[in-house]
Amino acid sequence: MKSYPIMLNVEDKAVVVVGGGLIAYRKIGGLLQAGAYVTVISPVIHSKIEQLFIENKIDWKAKLFEPNDLDSALVIIAATNNEMVNTFVASSAGKDQLVNIVDNPELSTFHVPAKLTRGDLTISIATGGASPTLATSIRDELSEIYDDSYGDYLEFLTLSREKVKHSMLDQTIKTKLLKTITSDTYRQSINMQHAFLELIGGYQDKS
């Protein structure tokens, strides 16, 4: 299956998850981190999902799935252990809704890749649904290369980009500076990061 990779903004968007087991729970976790408004459709739910409901982090409809449960949803995830129900969810979705059927990539309009997050850095690994296990293995290998230090480093790069952007420096110099600070030398040195920010601060437009 050919696919087009994107980073989807689901903040405050309606997402429906059909299913109440551990697979559904894992899907819900990522959606909540992205700020989605999640509704779970399932007669029964795992205790971990129930806790999210008790904490008012999700909505829960304790019922069997019906097509009108998908009304107004931007994203739909079918994560039950019943292939017929998952297929029914897929056939009930509208043509403009994004659908993920966890046990059938061919019925899905998108799939969720293995993901490595370090602050604002996100690395996604996908195998087109062929082997989620391989994607997870590659993610774990990358986690040893891209450690937790990248989170703070991305904060430095974000702040630096804003300061350089609003400086009075020539555009050519701005481009060179932004490239220079992407080197490992800057990533590994807090002192160099502080020195760079102090230097750029002297070129800010004070008007």
Side-chain angles (χ1 to χ4, degrees):
M1 179 179 64
K2 294 182 179 180
S3 58
Y4 180 72
I6 63 171
M7 297 289 286
L8 184 66
N9 180 4
V10 295
E11 186 172 6
D12 296 327
K13 300 296 192 299
V15 178
V16 170
V17 176
V18 183
L22 282 174
I23 294 177
Y25 174 72
R26 288 196 291 271
K27 301 293 185 181
I28 293 167
L31 291 166
L32 292 179
Q33 288 178 2
Y37 181 78
V38 179
T39 299
V40 174
I41 311 296
S42 181
V44 294
I45 53 176
H46 192 278
S47 59
K48 291 184 176 181
I49 299 179
E50 184 178 13
Q51 187 59 39
L52 294 175
F53 174 68
I54 292 171
E55 295 172 357
N56 292 318
K57 294 182 178 179
I58 63 170
D59 275 350
W60 171 37
K61 295 183 179 180
K63 59 187 286 295
L64 295 173
F65 168 76
E66 297 175 291
N68 61 9
D69 291 324
L70 306 181
D71 292 350
S72 76
L74 170 66
V75 176
I76 300 159
I77 296 179
T80 78
N81 59 2
N82 187 313
E83 183 179 351
M84 291 183 63
V85 172
N86 290 346
T87 301
F88 184 33
V89 172
S91 64
S92 301
K95 62 183 180 63
D96 295 324
Q97 292 176 307
L98 301 175
V99 184
N100 174 242
I101 310 300
V102 295
D103 62 354
N104 195 331
E106 293 184 0
L107 292 179
S108 304
T109 58
F110 79 98
H111 61 276
V112 181
K115 181 180 69 173
L116 173 64
T117 303
R118 297 288 187 254
D120 288 337
L121 174 66
T122 300
I123 301 173
S124 297
I125 304 95
T127 59
S131 178
T133 301
L134 176 60
T136 300
S137 177
I138 294 173
R139 180 200 63 191
D140 292 344
E141 291 178 12
L142 289 173
S143 70
E144 298 180 8
I145 300 173
Y146 298 95
D147 58 27
D148 291 334
S149 68
Y150 277 85
D152 292 335
Y153 178 50
L154 261 292
E155 290 183 13
F156 160 71
L157 291 179
T158 300
L159 180 57
S160 296
R161 184 174 182 275
E162 285 302 306
K163 286 184 173 293
V164 169
K165 179 180 178 181
H166 294 99
S167 72
M168 297 180 292
L169 295 168
D170 178 79
Q171 184 58 48
T172 301
I173 296 176
K174 289 181 180 181
T175 302
K176 289 181 178 179
L177 287 173
L178 292 176
K179 182 177 181 180
T180 297
I181 60 175
T182 59
S183 68
D184 276 348
T185 304
Y186 275 91
R187 182 179 65 82
Q188 296 170 357
S189 175
I190 298 296
N191 290 335
M192 290 187 66
Q193 293 177 20
H194 288 168
F196 180 84
L197 292 173
E198 185 176 348
L199 173 66
I200 294 301
Y203 290 97
Q204 299 301 295
D205 187 353
K206 302 299 193 300
S207 60

